[in-house]
Amino acid sequence: MKFIILLVFTFCVNALMLRSGVKDKITEGVIQQIREQIKNPQSQYYHSAYNRLAYYVDTFGPRLWGSENMADAVDALYKDIEKMGFDRVWKENLGEITSWMRGEESVTLFEPRQIPQKLNMIGLGWTPAGVVKGEVEVVHSFEELKEKDVRGKIVCFNFEWNGYGSAIAFRFAGPVLAEKAGAIGTMIRSVASVSIASPHTGMTDYENIKYPAVAITVEDADMLDRMKKRGQKVVVEIKTGGQQYKTTSDNVFAEIKGYKYPDEILLMGGHWDSWDVGSQTGANDDGGGVIVCLEALRILNSLGIKPKRTIRFIAWSGEEMGQNNNGAFHYARNHGKDNHIIAFESDLGSTKPYGFGITAGQQFTQLVTYLAQEYLTGIGAERIYPNDGESVDSGVLADFTGTPMLNNRIADNENHDFYFTYHHTAGDSMWMMNQEDMDDNVVAIASIMYLIADYDGPIPKD
Ligand SMILES: [Zn+2]
């Protein structure tokens, strides 16, 4: 009972303190300074996020986990960060990892076409090498897969786009479920909100996939569906050339040490690896996320801003491949005992920011809401969305340690249709990145991290 009274008392005091809304002039000045440096066309920091990202994308190309491109891009990022004058810069090797590379691959439509037609396609991550030819059965749901006899056939999943959550189930689980039902190969409709005939890759069930599993375009999935509905026999051949191999990779770090509570750590970052499907793939997913976080740390450091707590930048290695020895798991296993205050991740693009999602206890959420509303209204990033701060890499740390999570809320609709138009395609390129929007992300991220890191008082644990 005493415990409950104490809890209620603490809550009321905090609530009172938050409602008083006394703006601290120094803190306000810091936020203004960050904004002026990033948004001033005369400043060296103006558009530096876009320019730095463009350098990496143009110079190193896509960064598939474990590939030489990725290794070169990791080295270059590390060397670049070393020159930025942070308190500490380091990398951590993941040890031996198993990764996957794409080989020659194709889908050819033999029937009902008179002359064989190559379809735009892309193999799904972890698909092994193989060649299969057979009649196609189109299904629209997992229920329909159970009802139809797909033995000896190639299953084409043609589902409706209702957001990533429902669509990814077909990409991840669809091929293996079809194989269990007797199919000899799988084509999935690309997981995409809008299509201009571009196939979208992504990971499938890496532990169980045994046969060719590929994505075809939304347009072609619909075409095969129409053919079947009018009773035409559809025959395709799928060729894939995927291979697994042993390699290694690194997470990269930079830190500004807190002057008062150096052991209290605010983690922030994105994943440096990407898919491999175009000349610039990984500009948006997630090169942009990594670079806006790095630039956020850089502006704080360059302005000589020392917060009370430590801010640690991480470029995670290996998110796309989803392995449990990737950078996120390596970090959580090796740093799970560090005192993490919060983990921020940017992995939904870098369009215009308007606030933050947070997954934390009620009091901490209340504190972040207060800080954002008090100090970030001027930069338009003050909206806080409780219980909505999850991301993939920060989520691993949260699973291991219960660390609260934060992510940036940026302009897009509810299903992130802009993001998923380009996601995991050759269209993920510098063309879809916007210089002003990236600058706004740097301002918003640097500001919220600073506000939490410099908060003068204990950070609520619940
Ligand atoms: Zn991503």
Side-chain angles (χ1 to χ4, degrees), residues 271 273 284-286 319-320 345-348 419 423-424:
H271 66 88
D273 64 298
N284 190 48
D285 182 12
D286 183 26
E319 189 268 347
E320 298 293 5
E345 182 171 355
S346 170
D347 190 19
L348 265 180
Y419 184 77
H423 185 243
H424 299 177

Side-chain angles (χ1 to χ4, degrees), residues 315-369:
W316 277 289
S317 177
E319 189 268 347
E320 298 293 5
M321 292 289 190
Q323 301 296 289
N324 64 10
N325 62 351
N326 70 7
F329 279 87
H330 190 271
Y331 181 80
R333 286 191 187 108
N334 285 276
H335 294 276
K337 291 205 170 72
D338 294 358
N339 185 7
H340 290 100
I341 296 298
I342 202 159
F344 172 88
E345 182 171 355
S346 170
D347 190 19
L348 265 180
S350 306
T351 47
K352 194 161 186 57
Y354 57 84
F356 299 90
I358 184 166
T359 299
Q362 199 186 3
Q363 291 202 52
F364 192 9
T365 301
Q366 207 179 2
L367 172 64
V368 173
T369 306

Side-chain angles (χ1 to χ4, degrees), residues 66-314:
S67 69
E68 276 182 52
N69 280 13
M70 173 65 178
D72 290 347
V74 167
D75 280 350
L77 182 71
Y78 177 68
K79 286 191 183 121
D80 210 4
I81 296 174
E82 264 193 320
K83 286 184 248 151
M84 291 179 183
F86 293 118
D87 294 334
R88 198 179 158 213
V89 174
W90 76 104
K91 51 185 177 175
E92 291 177 11
N93 187 260
L94 309 187
E96 186 182 82
I97 58 172
T98 302
S99 192
W100 174 90
M101 67 170 97
R102 188 180 303 286
E104 291 275 309
E105 52 186 25
S106 63
V107 171
T108 311
L109 177 62
F110 282 94
E111 291 185 49
R113 292 287 171 98
Q114 304 297 308
I115 295 165
Q117 169 76 52
K118 288 255 196 269
L119 303 184
N120 274 356
M121 59 77 70
I122 188 100
L124 298 181
W126 297 100
T127 297
V131 183
V132 290
K133 188 175 179 184
E135 198 180 336
V136 172
E137 190 60 77
V138 178
V139 302
H140 306 85
S141 65
F142 290 124
E143 289 71 42
E144 202 180 337
L145 177 68
K146 278 186 210 150
E147 286 158 15
K148 282 188 167 163
D149 183 3
V150 299
R151 285 173 297 173
K153 292 181 180 171
I154 290 171
V155 168
C156 173
F157 284 99
N158 190 28
F159 47 85
E160 262 181 63
W161 170 256
N162 290 312
Y164 191 60
S166 59
I168 197 181
F170 291 100
R171 190 186 76 208
F172 188 81
V176 168
L177 287 176
E179 194 246 323
K180 286 191 175 133
I184 58 169
T186 297
M187 300 182 288
I188 65 150
R189 173 197 180 99
S190 280
V191 174
S193 47
V194 174
S195 183
I196 44 168
S198 47
H200 295 232
T201 192
M203 179 186 51
T204 192
D205 183 350
Y206 49 86
E207 283 174 323
N208 299 303
I209 186 69
K210 295 192 189 87
Y211 69 19
V214 305
I216 56 173
T217 68
V218 166
E219 290 87 339
D220 284 340
D222 278 349
M223 176 180 74
L224 302 185
D225 207 348
R226 288 195 302 275
M227 289 168 169
K228 290 295 290 181
K229 277 180 182 147
R230 70 170 76 91
Q232 289 174 305
K233 186 179 178 190
V234 178
V235 174
V236 302
E237 181 187 69
I238 309 177
K239 284 186 185 167
T240 51
Q243 269 178 47
Q244 295 188 13
Y245 67 106
K246 303 282 185 205
T247 179
T248 192
S249 191
D250 303 271
N251 286 334
V252 178
F253 300 87
E255 229 175 50
I256 299 179
K257 277 266 177 236
Y259 73 83
K260 196 166 178 187
Y261 312 112
D263 295 339
E264 296 188 15
I265 291 157
L266 285 81
L267 188 71
M268 71 167 168
H271 66 88
W272 196 221
D273 64 298
S274 74
W275 282 104
D276 59 333
V277 294
S279 61
Q280 300 177 43
T281 304
N284 190 48
D285 182 12
D286 183 26
V290 169
I291 297 298
V292 293
C293 289
L294 176 60
E295 289 291 323
L297 194 71
R298 190 168 83 97
I299 192 66
L300 294 174
N301 199 48
S302 306
L303 293 174
I305 298 166
K306 281 276 171 203
K308 295 185 179 72
R309 298 175 181 81
T310 295
I311 306 180
R312 177 181 290 171
F313 160 84
I314 179 169

Side-chain angles (χ1 to χ4, degrees), residues 1-10 462:
M1 189 61 183
K2 249 187 199 162
F3 179 66
I4 291 168
I5 291 168
L6 185 70
L7 262 184
V8 170
F9 176 73
T10 314
D462 51 9

Side-chain angles (χ1 to χ4, degrees), residues 41-60:
Q42 311 308 324
S43 159
Q44 57 166 310
Y45 305 104
Y46 183 66
H47 293 177
S48 65
Y50 178 94
N51 293 332
R52 188 179 305 281
L53 176 65
Y55 165 75
Y56 284 108
V57 169
D58 297 349
T59 309
F60 300 99

